[in-house]
Amino acid sequence: MDELVAKHKKERKELQAKIQAIKKSVPKGDKKRKKESNEEIAKLESELNQRHEEEIKALQSTSIQEEELAAKLDDTSLNDKPETGSETRVSKAQRRREKKAALNRERDQRIAEEEASNVNSARKIEYEKIKNILKKRNLTLKEISTDGHCLYRAVADQLSKVDINTTVERLRKQTADFMRSHPDDFMAFLSNPNTQEPLTAEEYEKYCHDVESTAAWGGQLEISAMSNILHVPVEVIQADGPIIITGEHFTAPSVILSYHRHAYGLGEHYNSVVPVTKTDQSGDEDGFS
């Protein structure tokens, strides 16, 4: 439950950053666009709340099933015929070990089955949606490794298409330095994961340090920073919801990324998006390119 709560907190933080990006994309005085964005924001918040409720219920149901199984195993051990002497001690210890092993096997099998079913199903649905969106634009996915640096690797891959060579390390340092020099643009969207209180100056510096020096996952805030650093618009294509465009006032060619919530077991992931080639058109479309 603690892990699930932490995951939910992170997702809410990411949603707030996404909402801010949607709001910033609305031109001043455009009442129609503002109304549409408000409806989209309400939909995103509703979907997130509903999914969180379903995940909590599923976890609680799993806990109840484990307790029921443990009770059944206890009843089985109590109904066993008693032994005598030293054999009694050995038999009771053996039954306890067998009961614990059986409980663990049952739990592991159930979790594995549920995860395989949920992840594969969600992954397939998400991939099909993104594939259809990209197909209309004659684009396809270029898979980026899942090592915590996927956002920066995807951006670097996009820049290489226009003959701009950079590295993950350089992008991370530039992003961290920009966030340090513009705290008012970012601190409002960050909070302490334990207390949910706004970050202190020391905590914000720690956040920037992690951006620069660790494999900390990057999201919408880091995308905003890189857009300003590189002076390029960044398009993020997702299965559900509108395409999020950051830095649309820049005139350079767009950096185009795809955002995946279910593609990998580790959670959220970014891929690079590239034009379709003849090889892509003739290849297998059931997996990532």
Side-chain angles (χ1 to χ4, degrees):
M1 182 61 75
D2 289 342
E3 293 177 358
L4 184 61
V5 170
K7 174 176 173 289
H8 286 179
K9 288 179 180 178
K10 178 185 175 186
E11 290 176 349
R12 289 189 183 281
K13 184 184 73 173
E14 288 297 323
L15 178 59
Q16 289 303 312
K18 185 180 295 185
I19 288 173
Q20 184 64 18
I22 293 174
K23 289 181 178 180
K24 287 184 176 181
S25 68
V26 178
K28 292 183 179 179
D30 191 335
K31 294 182 179 180
K32 181 180 178 181
R33 183 78 176 275
K34 183 176 182 181
K35 180 181 178 182
E36 292 174 348
S37 67
N38 287 338
E39 291 175 351
E40 180 61 33
I41 288 170
K43 179 183 177 183
L44 291 173
E45 291 177 331
S46 176
E47 290 176 346
L48 184 66
N49 290 333
Q50 181 180 351
R51 183 166 60 80
H52 283 183
E53 291 177 2
E54 291 174 352
E55 289 177 349
I56 291 173
K57 289 179 181 178
L59 182 60
Q60 291 173 337
S61 174
T62 299
S63 298
I64 292 173
Q65 291 175 5
E66 290 180 355
E67 292 175 0
E68 291 175 347
L69 177 61
K72 290 179 181 179
L73 291 171
D74 282 336
D75 290 341
T76 301
S77 64
L78 290 174
N79 291 330
D80 288 343
K81 294 181 180 180
E83 303 290 345
T84 59
S86 61
E87 293 181 357
T88 302
R89 291 190 295 273
V90 174
S91 178
K92 287 182 178 179
Q94 181 64 25
R95 284 201 297 271
R96 284 196 297 270
R97 288 194 292 270
E98 291 176 352
K99 179 177 70 174
K100 183 176 180 180
L103 178 61
N104 288 337
R105 285 195 301 271
E106 171 70 16
R107 181 195 61 199
D108 292 343
Q109 181 179 356
R110 184 172 63 253
I111 291 175
E113 290 174 351
E114 290 178 356
E115 286 185 347
S117 175
N118 293 336
V119 171
N120 290 336
S121 176
R123 178 184 187 275
K124 183 177 180 180
I125 293 172
E126 181 180 53
Y127 171 66
E128 288 299 324
K129 288 181 178 180
I130 292 177
K131 183 178 73 173
N132 289 333
I133 294 171
L134 296 180
K135 186 177 181 180
K136 294 177 181 178
R137 298 176 57 176
N138 201 35
L139 298 171
T140 189
L141 297 172
K142 178 176 181 181
E143 186 177 354
I144 300 298
S145 59
T146 58
D147 56 1
H149 301 293
C150 61
L151 172 61
Y152 305 94
R153 292 193 190 283
V155 171
D157 179 74
Q158 287 285 297
L159 295 177
S160 69
K161 308 303 179 186
V162 291
D163 297 324
I164 299 176
N165 296 318
T166 188
T167 63
V168 168
E169 292 76 15
R170 184 178 180 186
L171 282 174
R172 278 191 171 277
K173 179 171 177 21
Q174 289 176 316
T175 301
D177 287 343
F178 185 88
M179 296 180 76
R180 287 188 181 104
S181 61
H182 298 79
D184 293 342
D185 294 337
F186 300 98
M187 285 187 70
F189 307 106
L190 296 168
S191 61
N192 185 300
N194 298 319
T195 65
Q196 295 303 300
E197 294 294 325
L199 295 185
T200 64
E202 292 76 12
E203 289 171 335
Y204 183 66
E205 172 53 35
K206 172 63 165 56
Y207 183 94
C208 294
H209 173 270
D210 290 345
V211 169
E212 179 178 358
S213 305
T214 73
W217 188 84
Q220 189 60 40
L221 297 181
E222 288 74 18
I223 288 174
S224 176
M226 282 189 281
S227 174
N228 282 281
I229 295 164
L230 301 167
H231 297 95
V232 298
V234 180
E235 295 184 43
V236 179
I237 298 172
Q238 54 187 340
D240 298 302
I243 296 174
I244 298 176
I245 303 178
T246 304
E248 58 184 354
H249 56 286
F250 293 121
T251 58
S254 293
V255 164
I256 308 178
L257 313 174
S258 60
Y259 170 74
H260 307 261
R261 183 178 296 279
H262 306 291
Y264 301 94
L266 295 177
E268 295 94 335
H269 180 70
Y270 287 96
N271 276 324
S272 179
V273 173
V274 297
V276 172
T277 64
K278 291 183 179 180
T279 301
D280 296 324
Q281 292 172 336
S282 61
D284 181 8
E285 294 187 351
D286 291 333
F288 288 109
S289 62

